[in-house]
């Protein structure tokens, strides 16, 4: 179940909602039944990438459950860092050194199956009660608190902790697998946008001979990729090298965008098959549908191009 971008519910209706922190990580549905399977939003099995989560089976004493949550890596201040998580997201079998350097945790916010019964038709309040009864608190997993009826306080707490924002969830709502719903509303402090990489421009100066900027698109309602701007900041040297290796394999002769790319951005560009999904932070949308002042946050291997939608 996916959230829709929006604003906090009106104060007069807040009692009908619960508010959870929005965690900056990778969404995962975790199947625990003796073994532990971890699936991303695009159904990639990543249990080997996050071996810390295998201990969930013992923590649940053999009880079979299906959990929904977010895999996060914490920075020095104890805040989820998507940048740090990048070091783990693309490693299928992490070394002991990497596990120690970038540990991860699963923050569980929903339970979809337990006691041999599907729970998706239960209300949020009912599922939340069953989740808390599981007592999930361990070295690499936790059930963060939910706040009922005070969205402004939840937003203030989120901002104070340096988090992205909150998810407002209608308390009587059921779980709608695979659907984006107004029963879950994400309210962010900073604008984020998932994007599809459609090309790249060569760099200059220190980046001469390599990647200068990525040319980005967002699918429209008909699934056509529309040019949404270019991003040239937020890259480390390691990230630049990884992106160049990926981009080289995807090159194609023609641009994948349905609309025209501005001449200044298209000059000297290399076009690629629109298969890579990333995420940027930006200040606002311009009138012509471009992102203003975007900054690269990282690749989203857990998401496919057809899942990308414009955040309004």
């Amino acid at each position: 179940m996916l959230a829709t971008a929006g604003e906090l519910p009106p104060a007069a209706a807040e009692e009908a909602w619960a508010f959870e922190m929005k965690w900056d990580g990778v969404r995962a549905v975790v199947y625990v039944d003796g073994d532990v399977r971890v699936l991303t939003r695009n159904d990639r099995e990543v249990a080997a990438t996050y071996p810390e989560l295998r201990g969930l089976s013992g923590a649940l004493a053999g009880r079979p459950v299906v959990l929904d949550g977010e895999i996060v890596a914490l920075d020095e201040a104890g805040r989820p860092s998507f940048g740090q998580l990048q070091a783990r997201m693309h490693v299928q079998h992490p070394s002991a050194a990497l596990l120690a350097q970038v540990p991860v945790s699963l923050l569980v916010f929903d339970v979809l199956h337990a006691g041999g019964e599907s729970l998706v038709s239960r209300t949020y309040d009912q599922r939340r009660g069953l989740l808390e009864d599981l007592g999930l608190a361990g070295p690499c997993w936790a059930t963060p608190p939910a706040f009922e009826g005070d969205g402004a306080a939840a937003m203030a707490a989120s901002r104070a902790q340096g988090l992205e924002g909150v998810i407002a969830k209608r308390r009587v709502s059921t779980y709608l697998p695979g659907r984006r719903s107004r029963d879950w509303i994400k309210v962010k402090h900073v604008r984020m946008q998932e994007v599809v990489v459609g090309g790249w421009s060569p760099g200059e100066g220190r980046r001469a001979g390599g990647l200068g900027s990525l040319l980005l698109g967002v699918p429209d309602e008909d699934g056509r990729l529309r040019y949404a701007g270019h991003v040239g900041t937020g890259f480390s040297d390691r990230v630049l090298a990884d992106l160049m290796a990926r981009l080289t394999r995807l090159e194609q002769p023609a641009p994948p965008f349905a609309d025209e790319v501005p001449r200044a951005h298209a000059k000297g560009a290399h076009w690629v098959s629109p298969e890579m999904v990333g995420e940027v932070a930006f200040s606002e949308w311009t009138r012509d549908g471009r992102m203003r002042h975007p900054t690269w946050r990282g690749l989203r291997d857990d998401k496919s191009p057809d899942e990308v939608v414009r955040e309004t």
Side-chain angles (χ1 to χ4, degrees):
M1 183 168 175
L2 304 177
T4 302
E7 304 295 329
L8 288 173
E14 280 189 329
E15 290 300 320
W17 297 80
F19 301 89
E20 301 176 3
M21 298 296 107
K22 188 177 188 311
W23 306 108
D24 197 8
V26 171
R27 183 81 174 274
V29 173
V30 180
Y31 295 77
V32 183
D33 187 3
D35 195 9
V36 175
R37 292 192 299 133
V38 183
L39 298 184
T40 63
R41 256 177 53 178
N42 54 355
D43 286 336
R44 288 180 59 240
E45 167 59 75
V46 293
T49 300
Y50 307 109
E52 296 99 323
L53 304 185
R54 291 174 182 153
L56 275 167
S57 182
L60 287 162
R63 288 174 290 176
V65 299
V66 179
L67 306 170
D68 193 358
E70 194 92 357
I71 298 171
V72 301
L74 304 180
D75 63 16
E76 296 78 5
R79 295 172 299 205
S81 169
F82 188 68
Q84 289 194 201
L85 187 61
Q86 288 281 302
R88 291 287 304 273
M89 285 176 62
H90 315 301
V91 181
Q92 188 170 3
H93 298 286
S95 65
L98 182 57
L99 292 174
Q101 182 183 3
V102 187
V104 302
S105 296
L106 175 70
L107 303 181
V108 185
F109 51 70
D110 218 325
V111 56
L112 312 183
H113 198 283
E117 177 187 359
S118 172
L119 304 177
V120 296
S121 62
R122 302 279 190 98
T123 67
Y124 168 86
D125 277 353
Q126 290 170 333
R127 298 194 315 277
R128 182 73 199 187
L130 292 168
L131 174 62
E132 293 177 353
D133 288 344
L134 292 177
L136 287 172
C140 302
W141 48 84
T143 303
F147 304 87
E148 295 181 0
D150 196 341
M155 283 294 283
S158 171
R159 187 183 297 276
Q161 296 177 57
L163 303 178
E164 277 192 76
V166 303
I167 304 288
K169 298 183 176 180
R170 198 185 304 273
R171 295 172 59 189
V172 298
S173 64
T174 59
Y175 191 97
L176 304 174
R179 289 177 54 185
R180 191 175 298 277
S181 170
R182 293 292 299 175
D183 288 332
W184 286 12
I185 301 175
K186 52 186 173 183
V187 187
K188 299 181 181 180
H189 302 299
V190 178
R191 293 194 179 200
M192 306 289 185
Q193 176 64 52
E194 293 168 8
V195 291
V196 179
V197 179
W200 62 279
S201 296
E204 299 177 352
R206 189 176 72 85
R207 290 198 202 165
L211 172 63
S213 63
L214 295 174
L215 307 179
L216 310 173
V218 175
D220 62 17
E221 293 180 352
D222 297 320
R224 296 171 298 183
L225 190 63
R226 297 291 181 177
Y227 185 66
H230 66 122
V231 59
T233 60
F235 305 110
S236 66
D237 290 341
R238 181 184 60 79
V239 168
L240 287 170
D242 177 59
L243 285 170
M244 279 302 300
R246 293 169 181 259
L247 291 165
T248 300
R249 295 193 293 267
L250 295 176
E251 285 214 14
Q252 64 179 34
F257 302 102
D259 50 351
E260 187 174 352
V261 177
R263 184 177 302 175
H265 299 172
K267 183 179 179 181
H270 297 253
W271 308 112
V272 300
S273 177
E275 300 175 26
M276 290 170 51
V277 175
E279 183 174 276
V280 298
F282 69 109
S283 60
E284 62 180 346
W285 289 104
T286 65
R287 290 185 177 181
D288 56 355
R290 310 283 192 263
M291 294 175 291
R292 193 185 301 278
H293 309 308
T295 300
W296 183 253
R297 283 171 45 80
L299 286 173
R300 301 297 316 226
D301 286 345
D302 58 319
K303 299 179 181 178
S304 56
D306 59 3
E307 291 183 282
V308 175
V309 296
R310 175 168 166 163
E311 304 283 1
T312 57

